[in-house]
């Protein structure tokens, strides 16, 4: 089943691997263009999937699929220590199915013996340190064989589920970009670098994705949304221009007014007077 020589580099592409001891309540929420599998070595935390909270401990793991927002948080009293591996490829989903995971079943469970935990931790660190792709693949397949042979049957039935908030899942990067802008346009610290980090793309890749869809840069898209919101406030409220500037993410009203005039060819004051 795990014959490396039968696979080419398009079948399985390894992105990165690593381990981390999380701080209390450490959380992460992003969207990626590849698969990301975590296994908990110790401690505990919660993963939010399809509107449900899964409380995981040592020996359990979770996978996030491409294009879906990841949302998880370490416990306050006993934060988890986990390892992860990111990958993609033509056979990535079928390999996940080998260890019992698919888009409806994203939680993995094994018996958390010290030997199992120690082996998985070592293999993930070996993947991270391997000097070339073939050695990374060889180590990855040994890791996957270990996960397959150690998984517990009917694992999801033993996982505690609790109702969660509405899941923030997106089917495309475009939806994630629009969501970020809609939720962060009023934040003066919102930036394209932060948008890229939140979505899980490089800044260059994000710019390429946005230009392909909208014909403009992510920065221009953010400015456009801010200006439209500012115009809405100017025409529907009596808020001072300074307050409107701060409401759409500009700490300096003069910077806001210059940007507004550049966008609409008239100042905020003149636009309001014509209403």
């Amino acid at each position: 089943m795990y014959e490396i020589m039968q696979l080419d580099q398009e079948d399985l592409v390894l992105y990165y691997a690593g381990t981390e001891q999380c701080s209390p309540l450490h959380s992460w929420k992003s969207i990626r263009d590849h698969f990301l599998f975590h296994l908990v070595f110790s401690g505990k935390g919660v993963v939010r999937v399809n509107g449900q909270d899964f409380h995981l401990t040592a020996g359990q793991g979770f996978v996030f699929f491409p294009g879906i927002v990841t949302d998880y948080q370490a416990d306050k009293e006993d934060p988890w220590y986990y390892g992860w591996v990111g990958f993609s490829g033509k056979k990535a989903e079928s390999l996940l199915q080998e260890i019992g995971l698919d888009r409806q079943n994203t939680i993995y469970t094994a018996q958390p013996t010290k030997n199992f935990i120690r082996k998985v931790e070592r293999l993930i660190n070996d993947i991270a340190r391997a000097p070339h792709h073939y050695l990374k693949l060889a180590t990855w397949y040994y890791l996957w064989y270990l996960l397959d042979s150690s998984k517990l049957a009917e694992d999801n039935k033993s996982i505690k589920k609790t109702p969660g908030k509405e899941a923030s899942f997106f089917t495309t990067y475009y939806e994630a970009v629009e969501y970020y802008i809609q939720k962060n346009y009023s934040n003066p610290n919102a930036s394209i670098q932060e948008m890229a980090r939140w979505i899980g793309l490089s800044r260059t890749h994000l710019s390429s994705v946005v230009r392909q869809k909208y014909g403009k840069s992510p920065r221009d898209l953010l400015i456009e949304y801010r200006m439209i919101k500012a115009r809405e406030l100017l025409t529907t409220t009596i808020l001072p221009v300074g307050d409107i500037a701060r409401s759409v993410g500009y700490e300096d009203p003069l910077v806001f007014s210059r940007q507004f005039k550049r966008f609409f060819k008239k100042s905020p004051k003149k636009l309001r007077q014509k209403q």
Side-chain angles (χ1 to χ4, degrees):
M1 180 170 57
Y2 298 100
E3 293 294 331
I4 303 170
M5 298 303 292
Q6 296 178 3
L7 296 173
D8 58 38
Q9 291 193 11
E10 292 184 356
D11 291 326
L12 181 66
V13 180
L14 295 179
Y15 284 45
Y16 50 77
T19 60
E20 181 179 7
Q21 172 60 64
C22 294
S23 57
L25 296 179
H26 169 77
S27 63
W28 190 261
K29 187 176 183 181
S30 65
I31 188 170
R32 302 176 186 275
D33 61 353
H34 54 277
F35 299 91
L36 183 61
F37 176 80
H38 286 71
L39 187 86
V40 181
F41 301 141
S42 63
K44 54 188 177 181
V46 61
V47 180
R48 297 177 180 89
V49 181
N50 293 329
Q52 292 182 315
D53 288 359
F54 293 83
H55 297 265
L56 306 185
T57 59
Q60 294 182 299
F62 52 97
V63 63
F64 288 110
F65 282 74
I68 294 179
V69 171
T70 63
D71 190 0
Y72 48 102
Q73 184 176 55
D75 186 70
K76 181 179 181 180
E77 304 298 332
D78 187 17
W80 49 21
Y81 167 49
Y82 54 42
W84 66 84
V85 58
F87 56 95
S88 67
K90 294 185 296 186
K91 294 189 177 181
E93 287 204 50
S94 63
L95 289 167
L96 282 167
Q97 291 170 6
E98 296 288 353
I99 63 170
L101 300 177
D102 56 32
R103 292 179 182 270
Q104 283 70 49
N105 302 286
T106 59
I107 306 299
Y108 171 89
T109 300
Q111 190 66 36
T113 65
K114 289 184 179 179
N115 186 48
F116 170 74
I117 295 295
R118 185 171 60 252
K119 283 183 177 180
V120 173
E121 180 184 14
R122 187 186 73 244
L123 287 168
I124 288 178
N125 283 322
D126 286 347
I127 292 171
R129 292 191 294 259
H132 54 78
H133 185 72
Y134 181 80
L135 186 55
K136 287 181 183 290
L137 273 180
T139 309
W140 189 93
Y141 274 93
Y142 183 39
L143 167 65
W144 226 243
Y145 173 78
L146 179 61
L147 293 173
D148 181 29
S149 60
S150 302
K151 69 179 184 291
L152 295 180
E154 304 295 324
D155 50 14
N156 283 347
K157 292 184 178 179
S158 64
I159 298 171
K160 179 182 178 184
K161 300 180 182 180
T162 58
K165 296 181 179 179
E166 181 180 356
S168 299
F169 293 129
F170 306 105
T171 58
T172 68
Y173 288 131
Y174 314 128
E175 292 178 10
V177 168
E178 291 172 0
Y179 179 89
Y180 178 89
I181 291 175
Q182 290 168 9
K183 299 302 181 184
N184 291 277
Y185 74 91
S186 62
N187 179 5
N189 295 318
S191 67
I192 307 311
Q193 186 65 39
E194 173 62 19
M195 184 192 301
R197 186 204 65 78
W198 182 78
I199 295 174
L201 298 175
S202 69
R203 183 165 180 166
T204 301
H205 191 178
L206 174 65
S207 295
S208 176
V209 167
V210 171
R211 285 187 182 280
Q212 187 177 43
K213 172 71 173 180
Y214 302 101
K216 59 187 69 175
S217 70
R219 179 177 179 274
D220 288 342
L221 207 62
L222 175 59
I223 290 173
E224 178 180 344
Y225 194 83
R226 283 173 163 170
M227 294 301 102
I228 291 172
K229 283 294 183 180
R231 182 179 62 182
E232 180 181 316
L233 291 172
L234 281 165
T235 57
T236 60
T237 75
I238 58 172
L239 286 172
V241 171
D243 288 351
I244 290 175
R246 286 182 285 273
S247 297
V248 296
Y250 288 88
E251 295 179 308
D252 188 337
L254 292 178
V255 173
F256 162 73
S257 294
R258 285 197 295 268
Q259 186 65 63
F260 190 92
K261 187 173 183 179
R262 189 178 300 120
F263 193 85
F264 288 112
K265 310 304 180 185
K266 61 185 68 175
S267 69
K269 184 177 180 180
K270 286 188 176 181
L271 185 140
R272 174 172 269 174
Q273 288 174 344
K274 289 190 175 183
Q275 299 305 311

